[in-house]
Amino acid sequence: MKFINKISIVLIILLVIITPIIIFYLNSSSTRLIEENAVNAQSYAKTEAERKAKLETDYMAISNEIPGIVCIGSDLMSSTGTLNTKIAAVLQNKLTDEGYRIPIVNLSVPGENTLTIMGRIGVIPFIIDEDITIPEEPELIDIDLKSSEDGPVWPLAVSADNANFNPVTVNGVSGQIGGESERDAVTGENKHYFLRTDRGESFTIPKGTIINTSSDDEYKDYVHIIWIGENDTWSNYEDLVDYIQQIIDSCGKNKERYLVLGLIAGDNESASEYDNLMSENFGSHYLNVRRYLSGYDLNKTNITFTDNDKAQQTKGSVPSCMLQNTGNLNDEAYSILLDFIYDGLIANDCIRKPAA
């Protein structure tokens, strides 16, 4: 019993001696761990802040180089089919999801011909077709428009101004041009009016005076996606090529960054001249939409198709299952085209984002 008591006393003494040592060691370890964690947290915060700062600097540099994308066109560019969702908006969502910070501006208006589009963006400007007298007070006056290339124009965006048309400047006078949003079934024209912005002296503006629209210069440095020509009858596709080239030539610092989207009408035989001209003049920048859709595997889609659709594809036509009753593309076709356009932007160095 005495032996056991001695052992107990020794154990108690050891416990009294060792316990503070253990507590001291644990406290020291905890303190070191806390200090190490604090240092690591500070290091991580610093590294993360530096990473974010570099990322923002990279994004800013890209923005200075590529300020945005502008979509030029008419019916084909103006929607994604029956849902009437703008293709520009869908493409914007795609770029955002992929980590790009490049804004997209949509200057497409359904129903307009090529000369009207060229006039809205100031490449082949609108001119006044008859002398007009501007009154002192701001009040609506009739104004007759035509293309400076002496062709018919019918700007349909002026009332809603959904294509950056207004304000305009006519002979130094700022104002708004409004008008009917639909063309006359007989004349093919739509009536327009001019309203000066501020009161001033009355004077006459002579026939042939150029009208400067808001989008004349604002988007010159943007990457251009051009999809025009579906509302014209072309006896010579070289004219269409020339119009597209004029748009490209009017661009600023990003002349080499653009896409030209092809028309969807015809088949491999009937559209061969058009396809060859576009490829020869625009190379990889030309995206042959008709050929892409006619060659797309319908089995990879949710589209209900028939043997007739497959037969149309064999000839190089866009199949009926990808078209609305109006002849425009439907939602499924536009969904398929989204990646085609996105890949084209990457292949032609039209978009950039910071390296991972």
Side-chain angles (χ1 to χ4, degrees):
M1 178 68 70
K2 289 182 179 180
F3 178 75
I4 293 173
N5 287 338
K6 287 180 179 179
I7 292 175
S8 298
I9 292 170
V10 171
L11 289 174
I12 291 171
I13 293 172
L14 288 173
L15 186 61
V16 169
I17 295 172
I18 292 173
T19 298
I21 295 173
I22 293 173
I23 292 173
F24 175 79
Y25 176 78
L26 290 175
N27 286 340
S28 297
S29 297
S30 297
T31 301
R32 279 199 308 273
L33 184 61
I34 292 171
E35 290 175 349
E36 288 174 0
N37 287 340
V39 170
N40 290 336
Q42 290 174 354
S43 176
Y44 174 79
K46 181 182 178 182
T47 301
E48 186 66 10
E50 291 173 347
R51 185 190 70 81
K52 289 182 177 180
K54 183 180 183 304
L55 189 64
E56 290 303 317
T57 299
D58 291 345
Y59 271 123
M60 184 64 69
I62 293 170
S63 178
N64 289 334
E65 183 181 4
I66 305 174
I69 295 171
V70 61
C71 297
I72 307 295
S74 186
D75 299 68
L76 289 173
M77 184 73 86
S78 61
S79 76
T80 59
T82 55
L83 297 180
N84 291 321
T85 303
K86 302 299 182 185
I87 189 172
V90 178
L91 183 58
Q92 180 74 82
N93 291 338
K94 172 75 172 177
L95 294 187
T96 301
D97 291 344
E98 296 294 336
Y100 294 90
R101 290 189 192 174
I102 299 178
I104 298 179
V105 175
N106 185 18
L107 295 187
S108 60
V109 178
E112 293 186 340
N113 68 343
T114 297
L115 282 178
T116 302
I117 296 168
M118 303 290 280
R120 279 198 293 104
I121 61 177
V123 177
I124 301 177
F126 299 131
I127 60 174
I128 294 172
D129 197 25
E130 297 292 341
D131 294 355
I132 59 169
T133 299
I134 307 296
E136 294 180 359
E137 301 293 335
E139 61 181 74
L140 288 177
I141 57 172
D142 291 348
I143 184 172
D144 295 318
L145 305 177
K146 73 174 183 179
S147 171
S148 56
E149 202 169 89
D150 204 28
V153 295
W154 49 84
L156 301 176
V158 293
S159 294
D161 198 23
N162 60 334
N164 212 43
F165 187 88
N166 283 309
V168 300
T169 304
V170 186
N171 206 25
V173 177
S174 176
Q176 304 275 327
I177 289 183
E180 300 166 352
S181 60
E182 296 183 1
R183 298 169 56 197
D184 184 277
V186 177
T187 65
E189 299 175 348
N190 61 320
K191 193 174 183 62
H192 294 96
Y193 311 92
F194 179 76
L195 176 68
R196 70 184 302 167
T197 303
D198 301 309
R199 185 181 185 280
E201 293 184 2
S202 175
F203 67 98
T204 298
I205 298 178
K207 174 181 178 179
T209 299
I210 288 176
I211 298 171
N212 300 113
T213 70
S214 286
S215 58
D216 276 3
D217 298 309
E218 186 170 353
Y219 304 111
K220 294 301 184 188
D221 286 335
Y222 279 42
V223 169
H224 281 50
I225 301 179
I226 305 164
W227 204 356
I228 64 175
E230 67 267 30
N231 291 323
D232 301 86
T233 301
W234 301 101
S235 59
N236 187 346
Y237 283 119
E238 290 181 356
D239 292 336
L240 177 56
V241 168
D242 179 63
Y243 288 139
I244 294 171
Q245 189 61 55
Q246 286 187 58
I247 295 175
I248 296 167
D249 291 342
S250 73
C251 296
K253 61 184 179 182
N254 281 306
K255 278 185 172 64
E256 302 303 318
R257 291 187 171 111
Y258 67 91
L259 292 182
V260 176
L261 307 188
L263 300 178
I264 63 173
D267 54 32
N268 288 337
E269 183 178 353
S270 63
S272 61
E273 177 189 356
Y274 168 78
D275 289 339
N276 290 336
L277 277 172
M278 300 294 277
S279 295
E280 289 170 5
N281 283 273
F282 306 115
S284 67
H285 299 275
Y286 170 55
L287 302 186
N288 191 331
V289 174
R290 177 193 55 78
R291 185 172 294 170
Y292 183 77
L293 293 178
S294 67
Y296 201 84
D297 186 356
L298 294 175
N299 292 303
K300 294 181 178 179
T301 72
N302 295 321
I303 301 174
T304 300
F305 60 91
T306 65
D307 289 341
N308 183 57
D309 292 311
K310 296 177 73 172
Q312 290 172 330
Q313 283 191 304
T314 300
K315 294 181 179 180
S317 297
V318 177
S320 298
C321 62
M322 290 186 177
L323 300 173
Q324 301 179 61
N325 293 334
T326 59
N328 199 7
L329 298 174
N330 60 26
D331 298 313
E332 291 81 4
Y334 277 110
S335 177
I336 292 168
L337 278 182
L338 183 62
D339 286 336
F340 186 42
I341 297 170
Y342 174 74
D343 291 343
L345 289 171
I346 294 176
N348 289 281
D349 191 33
C350 294
I351 54 176
R352 286 186 183 177
K353 62 182 177 180

